[in-house]
Amino acid sequence: MTSSSVNSEPSVADRRPTRSVDVRWGSHVVRVGGDAPVVVQSMTNTDTADPEATALQVRELWQAGSELVRVTVNTPEAAARVADLRNALDRMSVPVPLVGDFHYNGHKLLTQFPDCAQALSKYRINPGNMGGGKRRDDNFAQMIEVACRNDKPVRIGVNWGSLDHELLARMMDENAARPSPWTANAVMREALVVSAISNAERAQELGLPANAVILSCKVSHVQDLIAVYQSLSQRCDYPLHLGLTEAGMGSKGIVASTAALAVLLQQGIGDTIRISLTPEPGGDRCREVVVAQEILQTMGLRAFTPMVVACPGCGRTSSTVFQELAASIQAYLRAQMPVWKARYPGVENMHVAVMGCVVNGPGESRHADIGISLPGTGEVPAAPVYVDGQRTVTLKGDSIAQEFKQIVEDYVARRYGQGAGTEPSHRPGVVPRHAD
């Protein structure tokens, strides 16, 4: 390894320059693209025709950190209740903008239910399932006209599973005539990009401002997603929505989404993201929000909640105490964030370490803003606590978890409270963490 490689700082590439799109509800504005941070969004899985249940889930997603929430608008019954949904959210003081997800009949629903068109803050249009030929063009034009009339931005979302068949057939024919034809998969990728850009240009021709267009090209395989978005980013300056569609359940969905999005984000590609996890029966819909935030935070792109470093455990650890404490502390920090975010600016940059034995425990704890090193097998039954790199107290007994939480609470109030400095400590070996 050369000295230059040792001394160089790896970093995320500069964000790809894009137009800036404002998604607003009342005075609340979420900016996508331009110099805005990457936006986290999610989608409900309730029946939008039930505005009470949907409002509760939207509030949960918003409280978890979703900055935009998409809802399905697939039937007249759903469209008729979108305004009621918006009113319910306003009564609960939930300002999150709603995105309407339209397929097949969006042109009819937006026209027949003007209150729905007004209550939504953005429309998601999939050109591939709006019919064929002139019918598709007319339906698309009708939706764009409604967007223009209501001053709403649009995400033109092309999807691998519902790509314009006429476009794909034509491009396949053109490819067959090449001296050296591309693979069918390469043609499919190109068709996605062409469809997204051509439909965006058509929307502008119909009167939609260029700063009211966001694009997405959703596929379900990691390498395809990377290739499509790399190509798309080189050929337009619209903000891009990233997401691996049908990512899957549990760890598979998380790993696949992270593998794809991390590569693109590292290259400066992507302005808003959604992690499309299939929830387990009775699972928490907010998990997709947490995963999106953790991808952005672990890459150093944004800060949402204090980060907890914890060891995985091994034969040196005497019990699961440190695992339980780490989980408890992480849940505690996330639960406190709605209050802390308003009261303690900068607290989302805090770094907490919960370590299980003497091997790396003291060192990691010293490098954190606040850390605790629990005793491992054969070690003295005591847990030293480090604050800003200095050992301050040693905890013992059965109340270590509660005492440590109180120390964290006091530290947050002291360091991030009104008038307190919010810059991270510049201790040796510690890279300062900055808010977005």
Side-chain angles (χ1 to χ4, degrees), residues 50-69:
D50 183 347
E52 291 79 15
T54 304
L56 291 175
Q57 190 174 80
V58 170
R59 182 174 66 178
E60 290 174 356
L61 292 166
W62 173 70
Q63 289 174 335
S66 185
E67 293 156 307
L68 297 174
V69 177

Side-chain angles (χ1 to χ4, degrees), residues 6-11 297-300 307 348-352 364 366-369 415-416 422-435:
V6 170
N7 295 327
S8 62
E9 286 288 342
S11 62
Q297 184 151 352
T298 54
M299 293 187 68
M307 293 291 285
E348 65 273 10
N349 298 290
M350 186 171 65
H351 179 193
V352 180
E364 284 282 0
R366 286 193 185 95
H367 287 169
D369 295 311
R415 178 167 171 182
Y416 299 99
T422 59
E423 284 297 312
S425 302
H426 290 203
R427 299 185 296 282
V430 178
V431 178
R433 294 169 293 282
H434 301 285

Side-chain angles (χ1 to χ4, degrees), residues 355-371:
M355 303 301 294
C357 76
V358 74
V359 174
N360 292 317
E364 284 282 0
S365 297
R366 286 193 185 95
H367 287 169
D369 295 311
I370 183 167

Side-chain angles (χ1 to χ4, degrees), residues 122-171:
K122 187 177 70 159
Y123 310 151
R124 192 273 191 174
I125 301 175
N126 183 345
N129 55 27
M130 301 185 69
K134 186 177 186 303
R135 183 160 63 96
R136 179 194 60 241
D137 295 342
D138 291 345
N139 293 346
F140 181 80
Q142 195 170 345
M143 293 190 74
I144 297 301
E145 287 165 7
V146 175
C148 293
R149 186 163 62 247
N150 288 281
D151 192 24
K152 306 291 184 180
V154 169
R155 169 159 72 94
I156 296 175
V158 182
N159 193 292
W160 186 271
S162 53
L163 185 57
D164 181 342
H165 295 296
E166 295 174 5
L167 171 66
L168 181 59
R170 185 176 72 248
M171 293 184 66

Side-chain angles (χ1 to χ4, degrees), residues 120-275:
L120 295 169
S121 296
K122 187 177 70 159
Y123 310 151
R124 192 273 191 174
I125 301 175
N126 183 345
N129 55 27
M130 301 185 69
K134 186 177 186 303
R135 183 160 63 96
R136 179 194 60 241
D137 295 342
D138 291 345
N139 293 346
F140 181 80
Q142 195 170 345
M143 293 190 74
I144 297 301
E145 287 165 7
V146 175
C148 293
R149 186 163 62 247
N150 288 281
D151 192 24
K152 306 291 184 180
V154 169
R155 169 159 72 94
I156 296 175
V158 182
N159 193 292
W160 186 271
S162 53
L163 185 57
D164 181 342
H165 295 296
E166 295 174 5
L167 171 66
L168 181 59
R170 185 176 72 248
M171 293 184 66
M172 285 290 188
D173 289 342
E174 292 171 354
N175 181 61
R178 296 174 185 270
S180 300
W182 296 355
T183 65
N185 200 48
V187 177
M188 179 79 79
R189 292 173 176 175
E190 177 68 7
L192 284 164
V193 175
V194 169
S195 178
I197 294 175
S198 62
N199 279 286
E201 292 172 345
R202 175 60 177 150
Q204 286 186 238
E205 292 171 1
L206 292 166
L208 191 68
N211 64 351
V213 178
I214 297 171
L215 296 186
S216 69
C217 288
K218 293 291 197 74
V219 299
S220 55
H221 299 293
V222 170
Q223 296 300 337
D224 291 321
L225 190 82
I226 293 170
V228 166
Y229 274 91
Q230 287 174 335
S231 178
L232 186 61
S233 69
Q234 295 169 2
R235 293 154 69 174
C236 72
D237 63 356
Y238 300 109
L240 301 182
H241 168 78
L242 301 187
L244 191 71
T245 191
E246 295 107 23
M249 296 182 68
S251 60
K252 185 270 179 185
I254 294 171
V255 170
S257 293
T258 304
L261 269 59
V263 171
L264 294 167
L265 291 167
Q266 184 74 14
Q267 296 173 359
I269 299 170
D271 304 284
T272 176
I273 66 172
R274 185 209 169 189
I275 307 302

